[in-house]
Amino acid sequence: MNTRKVITLLLIAAVGFAVYKTFFDDRPHNPRVFGPPAKTEWKPVGARDVGQHGYSVIPEPTTWHAIHVDVANSDSVWGVAAPMFELDWVAEAAYFVGNGPLLDNQGNLYFSPQFYHGERVVLVSLDGQTGQRRWSIPADDEIQASSPAFILNDPENPGEQIIYIVGYDRVMALRPDGSTIWHKTTGLKLSAEDAGNKDKTKFHSLNYHPATDSLVSITKAGGMFAFNRKTGDLIATIGQIPGAPAISGTGTNIPKFILNRVDPLMDKAFGKTDAGLSLFSSAVNYIYGGGGMVTNFFSIDPDTSRIYMAATAPDAEDGTEDGRSELGAIYALDLVNTVDAGNGGLEFQVLNRKTFQGGTGSTPALSADGQRLYMSDNEGHVIALDSELQEVWRVDVGEPLVASITVASDNNELYAVTAKDVIQLIDNGDNGSRSWTAELTGFDGYANVDVQSNALTATATANGVVVMIGGGKTILGRTLMLHMGIGLLDRKTGKLRYFAEGREDSLAMSVVAADGSIYVAHSPLRRAVGKALYPDLTPDVTGGIARFKPIRLDLLARDAVCAAEARAANASNLDKAAESAAINTDIRQIKILLKQAGNAIEKAVDDGDMRAEKASTLGDLLAQSAVKLTPANLELAVTELSAACGMFD
């Protein structure tokens, strides 16, 4: 039997199976009910990884200030996520949002839409509690589009923050109220030869380079820029990553009949791209046709200011000079003073480069002390490098990784995601080991869900790991997403502590706010295919930002208090001289957790989830512990924190 007949028979069988499942599957719809989760038994053990930098400019990792939380791209926050939550609202549904949102220290949201249906805007700010629009920056002749936002503290005005964006035309600094601090033209102009190359004009988000007090960005085509943080002036010679446009390693094509169904659906929801293409076809062309040099964000070590960037290798290194690269590469760079460079004597210099088989779409992520760099390739490997890009170990997880590695500062924990699973890995120093694979069972009992899988980058918090779970069907080994929801995993076991169904698929991150809320940027590509093939089994695709609000605030207070107690108890046993940096960072985090607990206690009383008498006793214990949060008195603080945590038994 020839290959064409085999494929035809498989397609007929798949279509027949799909018809049966759609019209004749009479399974009852009996969704799993998630009650209040018990306390987690996870605890930090030993000294955490910690850097030596301060927080006058770089914010504490209380929430998303950059597209992967911070300058090192950890995807890890110090607070707790709500242990129970529910979908609250969806705002700005006309926009396809591939990144974000980010939050300032007042809880306001910021996102830059990639596609739209109607009003064209560069940046939108929302009220984090209500979803109401606060302000927006319209696209005009000065700025047509921008990178995702980036937020830093304002050291000249302690307690205030500044929001930065960069587009091909302009770089801007804004106050949280929408007022402009400065805006500068980049001075860039496309040549006739590059006029059709959109990668030349698309910037990745800004990041912060402490040594030069500058904002660094890179285009998808590998152009590197550095702007003065205070003024927006270009301070370095424009650099260029020495890679070549990528060639896809899969060779896969989306069947035409799927494109013909999905493209009209996406056009109706979001309109076409700037190039006049349907959004889905445009994404497919990029993914399977290659073309980009840099497909994701980059990291900067806040201690050394070294820049780490995943891109492609130079053209000839794959053995064929054809203007394309089949190899991935990780680059270590810095902004270096040179006599010959203009613009203040700074230029980008490549310090080290490591090439590898199989490209990567992941952002390189740094350990908190900057001594380890973690990345993934398209062949299923999690790779740990030292700061000089020497490989220390690699772990084959058995299938391609689809996002950046999440790096927790405690217990050497890493979280890797594939299209199916969330996997906890442990960095043992000279080797990496696999600890657990997550329980992704949020859609158990759904009549139309045959398969469940991971759908987004994992977020490490002080009380678990926030994940997105997709539910749907499979055809020929491919998962068709029909539903999505947010789950909270236990960091010790990988078991699902809680789950709530959401509204839409995302290509962004699971964003956890300082109050425990969870936000999701809607960017439906996978669910658009599910909608096109199973139109009656799933809602229409939609864009915008969704909020999952905390419920049972008494449990949020419990998780924050108990996380603070566990951290204080561990820190009190550390060597005060040898581990002073770790202890002081623990104290910083404990203060964040106590603030989070205090706010949750107040709201829990208002909601009727906690008696006022219990709240008063808890408040007294937390206040007594707070004054003892010094390295010398941590043992005393543990007494009150232990009593407070015990009140939730």
Side-chain angles (χ1 to χ4, degrees):
M1 186 178 292
N2 63 35
T3 302
R4 180 175 295 181
K5 287 183 178 179
V6 171
I7 293 173
T8 301
L9 288 173
L10 285 172
L11 286 173
I12 291 171
V15 171
F17 180 75
V19 169
Y20 168 77
K21 284 289 188 179
T22 301
F23 297 105
F24 301 103
D25 190 351
D26 58 355
R27 288 175 298 172
H29 184 67
N30 186 27
R32 176 181 174 186
V33 176
F34 287 83
K39 290 180 181 180
T40 175
E41 295 183 7
W42 180 90
K43 299 178 186 299
V45 178
R48 67 194 295 160
D49 290 334
V50 64
Q52 303 297 321
H53 64 281
Y55 295 94
S56 61
V57 177
I58 298 172
E60 293 175 320
T62 55
T63 187
W64 260 249
H65 301 106
I67 66 171
H68 289 287
V69 174
D70 51 22
V71 298
N73 293 287
S74 68
D75 281 304
S76 178
V77 296
W78 281 357
V80 298
M84 295 182 71
F85 45 85
E86 65 184 15
L87 182 63
D88 187 14
W89 46 254
V90 174
E92 307 284 350
Y95 295 109
F96 182 97
V97 187
N99 280 298
L102 306 187
L103 296 99
D104 63 22
N105 56 13
Q106 300 302 312
N108 301 308
L109 271 66
Y110 305 88
F111 72 94
S112 296
Q114 281 72 45
F115 298 96
Y116 49 87
H117 213 22
E119 179 191 13
R120 174 131 192 188
V121 293
V122 171
L123 181 68
V124 177
S125 178
L126 305 179
D127 182 292
Q129 296 297 307
T130 67
Q132 295 298 308
R133 186 183 290 198
R134 300 173 63 237
W135 51 262
S136 64
I137 297 177
D140 56 27
D141 291 339
E142 289 191 334
I143 184 165
Q144 295 293 315
S146 82
S147 67
F150 179 62
I151 300 175
L152 292 174
N153 294 334
D154 182 358
E156 286 75 38
N157 297 282
E160 300 293 325
Q161 292 187 309
I162 300 175
I163 298 92
Y164 301 92
I165 56 173
V166 62
Y168 184 75
D169 321 277
R170 191 163 294 270
V171 59
M172 302 180 69
L174 305 144
R175 293 284 181 203
D177 63 6
S179 60
T180 300
I181 300 173
W182 50 254
H183 60 94
K184 296 291 179 71
T185 177
T186 60
L188 297 174
K189 294 190 181 297
L190 283 176
S191 65
E193 180 183 358
D194 291 333
N197 187 349
K198 293 296 180 180
D199 285 348
K200 295 277 187 179
T201 67
K202 292 180 179 178
F203 278 82
H204 292 284
S205 185
L206 294 154
N207 206 337
Y208 181 61
H209 191 263
T212 58
D213 196 21
S214 66
L215 302 164
V216 174
S217 189
I218 187 168
T219 67
K220 289 188 176 182
M224 295 180 289
F225 299 78
F227 306 96
N228 184 289
R229 179 187 62 82
K230 296 180 181 179
T231 67
D233 292 327
L234 197 67
I235 64 167
T237 302
I238 297 173
Q240 177 63 46
I241 286 287
I247 296 175
S248 169
T250 63
T252 304
N253 290 310
I254 300 295
K256 188 71 173 177
F257 81 91
I258 291 182
L259 294 176
N260 290 341
R261 291 188 181 194
V262 179
D263 280 346
L265 184 152
M266 295 295 282
D267 289 350
K268 180 180 178 181
F270 303 111
K272 293 184 180 295
T273 70
D274 292 341
L277 300 175
S278 291
L279 172 56
F280 187 77
S281 285
S282 178
V284 168
N285 288 340
Y286 186 82
I287 293 169
Y288 294 123
M293 289 188 197
V294 183
T295 59
N296 215 318
F297 197 36
F298 58 97
S299 295
I300 298 181
D301 181 353
D303 289 350
T304 66
S305 293
R306 185 166 291 191
I307 304 164
Y308 295 96
M309 196 171 295
T312 57
D315 177 18
E317 292 195 13
D318 61 11
T320 305
E321 290 194 50
D322 57 2
R324 297 272 176 163
S325 177
E326 296 185 29
L327 296 176
I330 183 78
Y331 294 85
L333 310 99
D334 206 349
L335 276 170
V336 180
N337 276 295
T338 65
V339 175
D340 297 330
N343 298 313
L346 292 171
E347 68 176 13
F348 289 96
Q349 286 190 358
V350 176
L351 306 177
N352 285 302
R353 181 180 77 222
K354 178 180 177 59
T355 60
F356 53 91
Q357 293 290 331
T360 179
S362 75
T363 296
L366 290 168
S367 60
D369 59 8
Q371 297 304 300
R372 285 288 166 93
L373 178 72
Y374 302 99
M375 55 175 291
S376 62
D377 64 18
N378 293 338
E379 297 183 343
H381 299 105
V382 176
I383 305 169
L385 308 171
D386 66 19
S387 59
E388 300 301 321
L389 303 188
Q390 296 299 307
E391 184 171 323
V392 181
W393 54 256
R394 66 172 54 201
V395 172
D396 187 348
V397 300
E399 57 182 311
L401 292 118
V402 296
S404 307
I405 307 301
T406 299
V407 185
S409 59
D410 299 301
N411 303 357
N412 304 312
E413 294 172 2
L414 308 171
Y415 298 90
V417 296
T418 71
K420 296 179 181 178
D421 295 318
V422 178
I423 302 163
Q424 186 190 68
L425 302 171
I426 304 298
D427 185 342
N428 301 304
D430 60 355
N431 69 87
S433 60
R434 189 166 177 161
S435 178
W436 51 249
T437 300
E439 175 190 81
L440 303 179
T441 55
F443 287 107
D444 280 5
Y446 273 64
N448 294 315
V449 171
D450 301 326
V451 63
Q452 300 177 65
S453 57
N454 170 66
L456 210 56
T457 304
T459 297
T461 73
N463 66 331
V465 183
V466 177
V467 296
M468 178 186 284
I469 301 173
K473 297 182 177 295
T474 58
I475 292 181
L476 299 178
R478 299 283 182 176
T479 299
L480 298 178
M481 185 189 293
L482 302 177
H483 307 279
M484 64 73 60
I486 294 295
L488 179 66
L489 303 174
D490 191 288
R491 281 177 67 168
K492 183 176 181 179
T493 65
K495 300 294 184 182
L496 193 58
R497 297 186 69 203
Y498 195 74
F499 176 82
E501 186 172 1
R503 180 63 181 84
E504 190 51 271
D505 180 20
S506 178
L507 302 176
M509 294 76 64
S510 306
V511 174
V512 179
D515 68 351
S517 299
I518 301 168
Y519 296 92
V520 173
H522 288 172
S523 34
L525 288 181
R526 295 166 296 185
R527 204 177 66 81
V529 178
K531 176 66 178 177
L533 297 184
Y534 292 95
D536 298 327
L537 299 185
T538 187
D540 291 341
V541 297
T542 188
I545 305 292
R547 180 194 186 218
F548 292 77
K549 71 176 182 180
I551 56 176
R552 287 293 305 269
L553 277 297
D554 57 326
L555 298 183
L556 195 158
R558 177 200 70 184
D559 278 15
V561 168
C562 294
E565 186 273 332
R567 185 159 298 280
N570 179 67
S572 68
N573 291 319
L574 299 179
D575 186 300
K576 292 180 176 56
E579 305 294 354
S580 61
I583 293 170
N584 285 321
T585 304
D586 277 330
I587 289 172
R588 274 184 173 273
Q589 184 172 356
I590 292 166
K591 289 178 179 179
I592 295 296
L593 289 164
L594 294 187
K595 180 180 179 181
Q596 196 176 27
N599 292 336
I601 289 169
E602 182 179 340
K603 292 178 182 177
V605 172
D606 292 340
D607 292 346
D609 290 328
M610 184 181 292
R611 291 181 293 104
E613 296 80 4
K614 182 175 181 178
S616 177
T617 303
L618 280 169
D620 290 343
L621 288 170
L622 298 185
Q624 293 166 25
S625 68
V627 299
K628 299 170 184 175
L629 288 177
T630 65
N633 293 316
L634 268 178
E635 294 90 342
L636 301 175
V638 171
T639 302
E640 282 83 14
L641 290 173
S642 180
C645 180
M647 289 185 67
F648 294 98
D649 290 336

